Amino acid sequence: MTSSEETALLAAVPDGLFIGGRWRPAEDGRTLAVSDPATGEVIKEIADASVADGTAAMDAACEAFPSWSRTPARERAEILRRAFDLLQQRAEELALLMTLEMGKPLAESRGEVTYGGEFLRWFSEEAVRVHGRYGTNPEGTGRMIVTQHPVGPCFLITPWNFPLAMATRKIAPALAAGCTVVVKPAALTPLTTSFFTQILVDAGLPDGVVNVINTSSSGEVSEPIITDPRLRKLSFTGSTGVGRALLEQAATGVLRTSMELGGNAPFVVFDDADLDKAVDGALLAKFRNIGQACTAANRFIVHRDVAEEFARRVTERVRSFSTGRGTEEGVTIGPLIDDKAVGKADALVSDAVERGATVRTGGSRIEGPGSFYEATVLSDVQAGSAILREEIFGPVLAIVAFDDEDDAVRIANDTEFGLVSYVFTRDLARGQRMIERLETGMMGLNVGVVSNAAAPFGGWKQSGLGREGGFEGIGEYLETKYTLTPDPFG
Ligand code: NAP
C-alpha cells in the first residue's frame, strides 16, 4: 500500500518516452507495468517502446549531435553543474522513488543520490579539460597536432541495481564530451531515469541531446540501434552474458564499446588484520544494496586462524539486521529485485549446505508478499560450491578458510571475473604484494567500498572493458585525431 506522499511522487514522474525533447507515448500505445519489489504491487504504468520508437530516438540523437558537439564545453559543463544542484534540491524525492521501484532502504537510496550526483559534478569539471597536444616530428619536417573529438551518438544501457548512478556515470561523461545519447534503462526500474531526465531538461538541456526509451523488449528494440550505422558507441552495464551478446552485435559497426559487467569479488582477511575493521568492511562490502552490487564481496577468504572469530562476529552483527520495506524506519535489508533473484540465492545456499557449509544465521526465503531473503552467513564453504563461482546478488555472506598467502591469492584469482577485490591486513608489504597479485581492476585495501566519481571504475578479465569515472571516464566518449602539417619554416 502506498502512502499519499508516495502516490503524489509517483504521479509526478513522467510516464512517456523522452524523444527529441518531448515526453510522448509509445508509437503503438503499449505500456509496461513497474512494481514495488517489497509488495509486488504495480506502482505505475509507463510507455513501452517498440523498434520504431528506438529508431525515432536514434534519429533525434543524430539530429542533435552537430549542434551539441559544437556547443562550447563551458556551456555543456554548466548544464551538468545545474543538474547537480537540482539533484541536491530533489534528493529526497529521488531517494524515495528509487526505494519504491528498486527496494533498497531509504538511507541507501540517499547514498546513491549523493554518489550518482557526483558524476554530474565531476564531469562538469572535466568537460573543460579535454586537451590535445602539438609538437615537432622527430625528423623536424612537420608539426604533429593531436586533437580530441566527441565520438558521436551513443547508446547507453543501464541495469536496475543502481538506477541513478549507473545512468549518471554514463550520461554525464557523454554529455561533457559533446556526445548525444539514447538511454535504455532496465524495465524493472525505469522511473528513476525518467525523473532524472526531467532534471536535465530543467537544467537547460537542448532537445534531442538525451533520449530515453523504456521497453519490455530490450533485445528486440536494442539490436537495430546497435547495428544502426549512425551509432558510434555502445556503453553497457549489466551481466557478462548479455554484455558478450551485445559485443557481437557491436562488431557489425566496429563500435567503440564500454562494458561494465559481472563480478565475483574476493574479500581476503589475513590473520594480522584489524578484525573489527574487517568486520565493518565486510558488512558494507556484502550487504550494501542487499548484496545486489557488481562490487559486492562474493567470497570471504579468511585465514584459518581467525576464520571462526570472524564468522562469530559477522553473525552477531547480521542477526541484528532488520528486514522489511525500504521505506520503513530502521530497515537495513530490503527486498531482492524479484522472485527469480530470491530463487537464485536460495539455490546457491542449498548447494553450499549440501556440500558441507554451515548456516550460522538465515538461510531461507521469507514468504511474500514481496521478494525477501534472510540475511545469511555461511561458514566452512567447500571448494566446488556454486556460490564460490557465481555472483550471489543477494544478502548471503559465504566464508571459506585459507592457510597461507599463496593459497589466498590462488583462491581469490580462481574466477573468470576481475572487477574488485578487498584485502584486510596490517602488514604494508603484504598489502602491496596483494595489489600486484590480485587480478582485479579495483581494490579496497582495508576498506569495504571503493566507488568514487573521481576514480576509474572498471574490471579486468570478463568483468569488462573500459573505465567509468575519473580522468579516464570522459576518454571513453572521445576519439583522437592526429594531423600532420609541413614545417612552417621549411
Ligand atoms: P542484465 O540482465 O544484463 O541487464 C542489464 C541491462 O541490459 C538492462 O537494461 C536490461 O534490460 C538490458 N538487456 C538485457 N538483455 C538485453 C538484450 N538482449 N539486449 C539489450 N539490452 C538487454 O543485468 P541486470 O540483471 O540488470 O544487472 C545485474 C548485472 O549487472 C550483474 O551481473 C552485475 O554485476 C552487473 N553490474 C555491473 C556493474 C559494473 O559496473 N561492472 C554495475 C552494476 C551492475 P531489461 O532488464 O529491461 O531486459
Side-chain angles (χ1 to χ4, degrees):
M1 202 58 178
T2 52
S3 71
S4 55
E5 182 196 1
E6 293 166 12
T7 308
L9 173 60
L10 288 166
V13 179
D15 58 7
L17 311 173
F18 189 68
I19 298 176
R22 201 166 66 83
W23 292 102
R24 66 155 176 82
E27 205 197 50
D28 58 10
R30 281 193 315 164
T31 59
L32 70 87
V34 183
S35 303
D36 177 346
T39 62
E41 285 175 17
V42 172
I43 52 174
K44 193 162 174 98
E45 293 270 349
I46 59 164
D48 185 357
S50 64
V51 170
D53 296 310
T55 307
M58 260 306 279
D59 292 346
C62 294
E63 199 178 314
F65 178 70
S67 142
W68 181 248
S69 60
R70 284 196 294 271
T71 300
R74 175 73 74 202
E75 267 181 52
R76 297 198 303 261
E78 281 170 358
I79 292 172
L80 289 172
R81 177 63 208 211
R82 277 199 296 278
F84 170 77
D85 291 336
L86 288 172
L87 200 73
Q88 311 313 309
Q89 289 166 23
R90 313 210 55 186
E92 275 305 300
E93 291 164 272
L94 201 46
L96 177 58
L97 186 61
M98 222 185 303
T99 292
L100 292 181
E101 67 173 347
M102 187 272 164
K104 70 182 82 180
L106 260 180
E108 292 199 37
S109 292
R110 291 187 184 112
E112 184 174 343
V113 174
T114 303
Y115 172 53
E118 283 304 326
F119 290 99
L120 299 171
R121 176 152 64 177
W122 175 261
F123 286 110
S124 76
E125 293 158 346
E126 285 300 286
V128 294
R129 309 200 202 297
V130 173
H131 303 300
R133 58 182 199 266
Y134 180 89
T136 304
N137 65 356
E139 300 75 24
T141 56
R143 298 294 179 267
M144 304 167 80
I145 306 165
V146 180
T147 46
Q148 305 263 34
H149 307 264
V151 67
C154 305
F155 187 33
L156 315 178
I157 302 180
T158 58
W160 51 264
N161 61 345
F162 291 99
L164 178 70
M166 297 303 98
T168 56
R169 203 163 79 173
K170 296 185 192 304
I171 295 171
L175 266 45
C179 297
T180 56
V181 302
V182 175
V183 186
K184 196 213 74 61
L188 289 166
T189 58
L191 304 181
T192 302
T193 309
S194 293
F195 192 95
F196 169 62
T197 302
Q198 187 56 47
I199 287 180
L200 285 172
V201 173
D202 295 345
L205 194 74
D207 295 350
V209 174
V210 171
N211 305 277
V212 181
I213 48 168
N214 294 305
T215 178
S216 60
S217 325
S218 49
E220 197 188 318
V221 171
S222 298
E223 188 165 4
I225 298 176
I226 298 171
T227 53
D228 187 317
R230 297 172 297 173
L231 189 73
R232 291 288 179 273
K233 160 100 194 176
L234 168 66
S235 178
F236 170 78
T237 296
S239 57
T240 295
V242 173
R244 198 178 285 122
L246 297 187
L247 276 171
E248 283 182 21
Q249 293 174 18
T252 309
V254 193
L255 291 181
R256 291 273 305 271
T257 55
S258 299
M259 293 276 146
E260 295 289 352
L261 308 178
N264 179 359
F267 188 109
V268 183
V269 182
F270 284 99
D271 50 350
D272 61 26
D274 177 328
L275 224 48
D276 287 333
K277 290 201 173 119
V279 168
D280 286 343
L283 297 176
L284 265 178
K286 178 72 252 180
F287 293 100
R288 193 171 67 108
N289 226 42
I290 318 133
Q292 302 168 117
C294 53
T295 51
N298 213 56
R299 298 167 292 151
F300 288 80
I301 303 165
V302 185
H303 192 278
R304 203 171 298 281
D305 289 352
V306 293
E308 179 51 35
E309 180 60 11
F310 179 82
R312 193 189 64 70
R313 291 200 205 178
V314 289
T315 301
E316 197 180 302
R317 295 275 293 277
V318 169
R319 284 200 179 121
S320 73
F321 287 172
S322 163
T323 302
R325 189 167 188 241
T327 49
E328 284 160 21
E329 195 66 31
V331 162
T332 43
I333 301 283
L336 293 184
I337 190 66
D338 57 16
D339 289 344
K340 208 170 116 208
V342 174
K344 181 178 179 192
D346 203 36
L348 289 174
V349 169
S350 301
D351 171 78
V353 170
E354 270 165 32
R355 290 169 190 269
T358 306
V359 179
R360 310 291 288 240
T361 186
S364 302
R365 59 167 78 218
I366 301 171
E367 284 311 312
S371 306
F372 290 95
Y373 196 80
E374 289 179 329
T376 298
V377 177
L378 301 178
S379 61
D380 313 301
V381 175
Q382 301 299 309
S385 302
I387 206 163
L388 302 179
R389 284 195 313 275
E390 293 180 29
E391 247 185 327
I392 305 169
F393 248 55
V396 181
L397 190 156
I399 302 170
V400 48
F402 74 86
D403 293 304
D404 61 30
E405 191 176 306
D406 286 344
D407 196 22
V409 170
R410 183 188 54 74
I411 300 171
N413 286 340
D414 185 17
T415 166
E416 70 269 32
F417 297 108
L419 189 59
V420 62
S421 50
Y422 305 91
V423 172
F424 278 74
T425 176
R426 282 195 180 100
D427 180 336
L428 179 59
R430 169 176 276 155
Q432 288 176 308
R433 284 197 299 277
M434 295 302 276
I435 294 174
E436 297 190 20
R437 297 184 77 185
L438 293 187
E439 299 165 349
T440 58
M442 301 177 285
M443 183 165 154
L445 185 52
N446 295 317
V447 295
V449 177
V450 298
S451 304
N452 192 299
F457 188 108
W460 289 10
K461 303 199 278 189
Q462 293 188 31
S463 285
L465 296 169
R467 293 293 179 272
E468 291 189 324
F471 308 121
E472 293 82 353
I474 196 166
E476 300 276 320
Y477 296 90
L478 293 167
E479 275 291 12
T480 300
K481 177 176 280 179
Y482 148 65
T483 306
L484 181 68
T485 64
D487 175 7
F489 298 100

